[in-house]
Amino acid sequence: MTLVLHTRARLRAAMADAARPVGLVPTMGWLHDGHRALMRRARAENAATVVSIFVTPRQFGEASDYTRYPRDTEQDLAICEAEDVDIVWLPAVEEVYPPGFDTTVSVGAVAEPLEGAARPGHFDGVATVVATLFALVGAERAYFGQKDAQQVMVITRMATDLALPTRVIPCPTVREADGLALSSRNVHLTPAERAAAPVLRRALIAARDAYTGGERNGDVLRGLMQETLANEPLAQLEYASAADALTLRELQRIEGPALLSAAVVLGTTRLIDNELVGPAE
Ligand code: AMP
């Protein structure tokens, strides 16, 4: 039986009684197989699993992006039940940000480029809500998708710097058969945009394959992604990046682990994806 809780007080009380260790999966709902993979991993590695479902207004730059974010609580709860999740935390906005809430967790350099530059304030919103979640749940582990690679880096930096007891576990990106990364936002794609969307993955694979073939010039790798995306008239490039996998600084020459990443807009839908290359740390 999945316990569905709505308030900080009930969540705290439930966590005091929970079996340990606890695995936490923070989500914004509209759950799909990518979220399910995180839940399964949490279930396999912990005695209790907690899923949070909360669309935080603070991490959306534009109000319209927040209000149109897809929501289906009934379906989400059915998925959590099917995945044997112990506790779902489904708070109202004022439960996460009670009156007087006036703290922002702001991570430094690693939160600045890429998504941080494209969506000002986004990572402050993410870090603040995840810090609150980590404090309330007190999980031993929290599971995040590598699809949002920079988010993993930002949260890991925050957890390390603030000595939070929750370990951040990155999990592989789950994809459709044609390579498109699963995302709640894919629901907004028109059929033509959906057909065009795998170009993002193709662009990253073109750069990855060039890297594997010996190409180490950052401009060439970024150029390959740009060229691939330019061939798809429905896709508008936001950025194509070949950056140091630890600092996210753009690289002229790839010598260590690197994060290839790109963001595109198809119609009104923004999609991101990435690929890690280079020697494992
Ligand atoms: P979201 O609900 O989009 O905020 O995502 C909640 C968590 O699920 C984040 O850690 C995401 O990185 C992760 N996630 C989203 N899509 C995928 C995917 N296709 N594969 C793996 N993890 C994902």
Side-chain angles (χ1 to χ4, degrees):
M1 258 306 269
T2 303
L3 196 59
V4 183
L5 305 174
H6 301 280
T7 66
R8 286 187 178 215
R10 299 271 331 266
L11 180 60
R12 262 199 200 293
M15 293 322 300
D17 292 338
R20 316 298 307 194
V22 170
L24 168 68
V25 180
T27 82
M28 297 201 295
W30 198 264
L31 302 176
H32 51 62
D33 285 353
H35 300 113
R36 292 180 91 132
L38 304 187
M39 291 179 207
R40 278 178 205 164
R41 177 95 184 260
R43 181 101 215 112
E45 296 180 354
N46 300 279
T49 305
V50 178
V51 170
S52 67
I53 301 177
F54 177 63
V55 187
T56 167
R58 289 177 188 227
Q59 75 180 64
F60 286 85
E62 288 172 34
S64 60
D65 192 25
Y66 169 65
T67 47
R68 91 179 195 127
Y69 198 83
R71 293 163 171 90
D72 186 343
T73 303
E74 216 172 294
Q75 165 83 358
D76 287 349
L77 293 179
I79 287 174
C80 291
E81 190 83 54
E83 293 297 339
D84 226 358
V85 168
D86 297 287
I87 295 173
V88 172
W89 196 48
L90 186 69
V93 173
E94 54 276 15
E95 205 52 53
V96 178
Y97 308 114
F101 190 107
D102 197 19
T103 296
T104 301
V105 179
S106 192
V107 176
V110 83
E112 278 166 19
L114 308 175
E115 291 301 289
R119 306 175 67 190
H122 169 69
F123 283 126
D124 283 2
V126 170
T128 304
V129 79
V130 172
T132 309
L133 265 177
F134 280 14
L136 280 168
V137 177
E140 278 77 4
R141 303 184 184 91
Y143 297 82
F144 290 85
Q146 188 60 28
K147 178 177 87 75
D148 301 287
Q150 191 178 11
Q151 173 168 277
V152 171
M153 295 171 74
V154 168
I155 301 299
T156 304
R157 182 80 260 155
M158 173 190 78
T160 304
D161 291 354
L162 301 183
L164 304 180
T166 305
R167 194 151 67 88
V168 175
I169 316 272
C171 302
T173 302
V174 178
R175 301 176 180 284
E176 303 280 6
D178 62 8
L180 177 64
L182 297 189
S183 164
S184 308
R185 292 171 195 273
N186 293 352
V187 70
H188 293 308
L189 297 169
T190 65
E193 288 160 4
R194 173 62 189 84
V199 69
L200 178 55
R201 176 79 177 142
R202 285 203 304 279
L204 287 158
I205 286 180
R208 183 195 68 189
D209 288 351
Y211 173 87
T212 308
E215 183 59 66
R216 293 292 182 272
N217 184 315
D219 285 332
V220 172
L221 297 177
R222 285 181 286 268
L224 269 170
M225 291 185 255
Q226 286 159 356
E227 271 168 42
T228 311
L229 289 161
N231 283 328
E232 174 45 67
L234 289 181
Q236 222 188 316
L237 175 72
E238 241 186 44
Y239 63 75
S241 160
D244 183 295
L246 295 179
T247 65
L248 291 186
R249 275 195 221 105
E250 289 303 317
L251 294 168
Q252 286 314 309
R253 232 193 122 59
I254 319 283
E255 273 155 359
L259 183 75
L260 308 173
S261 66
V264 293
V265 176
L266 286 129
T268 57
T269 306
R270 187 170 179 281
L271 302 178
I272 59 171
D273 204 346
N274 67 81
E275 191 69 41
L276 270 172
V277 297
E281 284 165 63

